[in-house]
Amino acid sequence: MAEAAAHLFVLTGPDLGRSFPVGPRATLGRSDECDVVLRDRSISRKHAVLVLEDGRWAVEDLGSTNGISKDGQRAKRIALADGDEFKLGDLGLRLRLGAAAAAPAGQDIEFDLAAPARMPAPPASPRPPPAEAEVEVEIELEEGGEIELEPAVARGPVTRAPLVAETARAPRAERRTGFLASDLEQQPFWLRTLVVLLLLVLCAALSYGAYRAVGMLRAG
């Protein structure tokens, strides 16, 4: 993405406290194809688009299930200014313009800009030199006797295993898309009930057809 013209701050939902840089045109939604990927359940795969036209910002609905709104008023297109808050479905967002709002993409932020800066942590104290390791050697004779030698001191440093093993980041699981995978949960209750009833009727019809076919084969 080119240099960010603004930043979106997430105010609610699973991505609370995160910020995303946006250019003059950015798509918002749950699909990995969007410029800003939001994980809230009320968001459609491609929910809305944020655009900068003639120096003015606006967010436009892309035919989502739960729409966009500002101050409780739902609309197809909403004009935005610096600091304005709006919603995609149930997810609250805030638009900030200018370099003062810049923050690393996808990282947690604090909205209280007047808070004092945190003091850096004191440097860690140096580790003590590695202890000398004592090695005891025993020699077993063929007659069964044993000879004990004085402990030998290893003058070299003792190798220690690392305390924390670096773990590899697991690849992000591929998101399932499609009507039955994501959009069905956003549909009204009566529509979901109708889909379930149709599936039950289809199963019953298939079972009856199989029963009739078996009866005809036996009769023949």
Side-chain angles (χ1 to χ4, degrees), residues 197-217:
L197 292 177
L198 290 176
L199 292 176
L200 293 177
V201 171
L202 179 60
C203 292
L206 291 175
S207 300
Y208 179 74
Y211 172 76
R212 294 285 296 176
V214 171
M216 293 177 63
L217 290 176

Side-chain angles (χ1 to χ4, degrees), residues 9-212:
F9 293 88
V10 183
L11 306 180
T12 58
D15 296 314
L16 173 65
R18 301 184 70 192
S19 69
F20 300 89
V22 292
R25 181 179 179 85
T27 54
L28 318 176
R30 286 193 294 115
S31 173
D32 292 333
E33 300 176 358
C34 295
D35 299 311
V36 177
V37 179
L38 302 168
R39 298 175 295 174
D40 192 87
R41 296 173 63 89
S42 64
I43 303 297
S44 298
R45 296 194 308 275
K46 291 186 178 180
H47 197 106
V49 59
L50 190 67
V51 294
L52 174 62
E53 297 177 350
D54 299 328
R56 297 181 179 180
W57 286 89
V59 59
E60 184 175 349
D61 188 15
L62 294 178
S64 63
T65 302
N66 297 315
I68 62 177
S69 61
K70 179 183 177 184
D71 299 329
Q73 300 295 325
R74 186 166 173 173
K76 176 66 176 178
R77 181 183 177 93
I78 299 175
L80 299 174
D82 184 23
D84 279 356
E85 297 181 5
F86 62 99
K87 284 187 175 183
L88 304 184
D90 298 329
L91 181 66
L93 298 170
R94 177 185 295 163
L95 178 69
R96 293 302 308 273
L97 309 180
Q107 293 188 2
D108 295 341
I109 58 166
E110 294 183 359
F111 295 112
D112 187 2
L113 301 180
R118 296 181 179 177
M119 296 298 293
S125 58
R127 292 185 177 181
E132 296 180 344
E134 294 186 357
V135 180
E136 185 175 350
V137 180
E138 293 185 0
I139 301 178
E140 184 176 353
L141 301 180
E142 294 181 357
E143 293 79 8
E146 294 183 356
I147 299 178
E148 293 188 1
L149 301 181
E150 295 184 356
V153 178
R155 300 300 178 182
V158 179
T159 304
R160 293 184 173 88
L163 298 180
V164 180
E166 182 179 357
T167 57
R169 180 176 300 175
R172 181 168 60 180
E174 182 180 359
R175 295 173 180 265
R176 294 184 177 181
T177 58
F179 179 79
L180 294 178
S182 59
D183 287 346
L184 182 59
E185 62 186 12
Q186 300 182 17
Q187 303 302 324
F189 176 77
W190 66 268
L191 181 57
R192 288 179 289 173
T193 304
L194 180 60
V195 171
V196 173
L197 292 177
L198 290 176
L199 292 176
L200 293 177
V201 171
L202 179 60
C203 292
L206 291 175
S207 300
Y208 179 74
Y211 172 76
R212 294 285 296 176

